[in-house]
Amino acid sequence: MNKQSDILFLAQLEESLKNATFVKLAFGNYKGSDEALKQLYVRPVVIKNKKMLAFNFRYQTRDIFKNSTEQEGIKLIEDYLANGFHIATLFTTTQEHILEKNAKGVFRVRTKLLAEKKEASLSHNKEKKRLILAKDNIYLQELGLTGEDGAVFKNAQDKYKQINQYIELLSPLIKEFPVGTINNVVDMGSGKGYLTFALYDYLLNHQQKANVVGVEFRKDLVDLCNAIAAKAKFDQLSFVEGTIESYHSDKINLLIALHACDTATDDAIYKGIKANAELIVVAPCCHKQIRREIEKGKAKNELNFLTKHGIFLERQAEMVTDGLRALILEYFGYKTKVFEFVSDVHTPKNVLVVGIRNKEQGVKTKDQSPKTKADILQKIKDTKTYFGIGYHHLERLLGL
């Protein structure tokens, strides 16, 4: 390395650290001995009230993170400049200093002023951008998740993250439809209304104003949620007392049922199909009906060595139940997606079953391989026979 360039570049780095203008350092064009290493990024952090440098080693298939003191970090930076990287860019709040090795193997430093001043962040963990914001959020405060200052309570952090995760899952599904399509939403089994409020909030601020109804059989929760909706001035959000089975509406664009126990999930899917809902999203739990059918049927198949164990039988019943639900949704013209998510840190992974009406009914979906209703019915029949299942509750509700 050209010694003058080395001294100048490192002096610029040390100066930016000293006057708190250091934003980040980016290395590229690696020619060293570690063939898998591609890039290196360095940024300032504060850990336990001590200023540190955070190193992100970017490899072809993974990232490795390492923190060091400023003194140790500068030495490490010097070593990587001397033995591997042919270009490094030092970003400060007002300038960019670029150290680059030319075709003759000589390093040169060039500096340019930034058009706009950058901010230097010392945060160890970058704050995740949330779709549901806590600040100035009346319903989160009324639900006991935040204080008057908008800060999320320590014991409510998991619930706040869970709410945002649900909305992050729903957001791309909703965006598959033209704006204005999702204007009648029903949340079956809304409970205390955490997700119901958040979904109304999201639709109001990101898509369009929609009529949202939370269905809940506990009157005290219905009254509480209606009072909070009024206080938040959510004039198209309401909560009604009743069960999933008893609720009737032929105007549903989006139906949600999270953790509806056993056949209550089937009741919710049935309501969505009968209302020709554009989007049906359920997170099932307690798959007891099909498990009882499998135990009663005692079918002999290649999986008997697994299902003789209760825990494996339980998991098998879950997969078969939700697999049949997906087939039934396809029979009625829905494109299906099944994927896994973690609802919060205290519960195991859950399955989300999604039904999206096909593009002939207005949704923008990719072309699917043609499946006739006869093919699907035969697959349902074969699956039931293989596992010794007499009936599936959703199948019976729909008269298949």
Side-chain angles (χ1 to χ4, degrees), residues 136-248:
D136 299 325
N137 192 315
I138 294 173
Y139 66 84
L140 288 183
Q141 184 179 337
E142 292 296 319
L143 288 169
L145 300 187
T146 64
E148 292 182 2
D149 59 355
V152 180
F153 295 131
K154 187 175 181 179
N155 63 356
Q157 291 287 341
D158 292 339
K159 177 58 70 175
Y160 178 61
K161 291 176 183 177
Q162 179 191 32
I163 291 169
N164 272 282
Q165 186 190 30
Y166 278 132
I167 299 302
E168 286 162 10
L169 289 169
L170 289 171
S171 174
L173 298 172
I174 292 171
K175 287 179 179 178
E176 289 196 43
F177 295 86
V179 173
T181 302
I182 307 299
N183 48 39
N184 286 290
V185 180
V186 176
D187 183 1
M188 296 288 198
S190 55
K192 200 174 178 181
Y194 295 108
L195 177 62
T196 326
F197 280 103
L199 182 55
Y200 183 90
D201 187 6
Y202 170 78
L203 289 170
L204 183 63
N205 290 294
H206 293 83
Q207 289 283 311
Q208 68 277 316
K209 203 169 186 180
N211 293 305
V212 178
V213 177
V215 180
E216 172 56 44
F217 71 90
R218 289 167 288 186
K219 185 179 185 302
D220 58 330
L221 293 182
V222 172
D223 293 340
L224 171 68
C225 290
N226 277 324
I228 295 174
K231 191 166 185 177
K233 294 183 170 54
F234 286 175
D235 56 330
Q236 289 183 233
L237 171 62
S238 62
F239 294 82
V240 298
E241 184 182 353
T243 63
I244 295 174
E245 188 178 10
S246 65
Y247 182 80
H248 298 287

Side-chain angles (χ1 to χ4, degrees), residues 2-62:
N2 180 288
K3 195 61 180 174
Q4 286 185 332
S5 297
D6 178 16
I7 294 172
L8 176 59
F9 189 78
L10 291 174
Q12 290 165 334
L13 171 61
E14 291 178 357
E15 179 65 20
S16 68
L17 287 168
K18 182 180 178 181
N19 58 28
T21 60
F22 176 47
V23 176
K24 70 176 179 179
L25 184 58
F27 295 82
N29 196 11
Y30 182 72
K31 303 293 183 182
S33 58
D34 191 346
E35 295 181 0
L37 182 60
K38 299 299 179 184
Q39 295 167 309
L40 170 61
Y41 298 95
V42 185
R43 63 184 183 89
V45 294
V46 172
I47 302 175
K48 295 182 179 179
N49 296 320
K50 185 176 181 180
K51 289 184 178 181
M52 307 279 284
L53 291 178
F55 285 75
N56 177 4
F57 297 88
R58 183 72 53 85
Y59 287 83
Q60 189 167 355
T61 59
R62 71 191 192 282

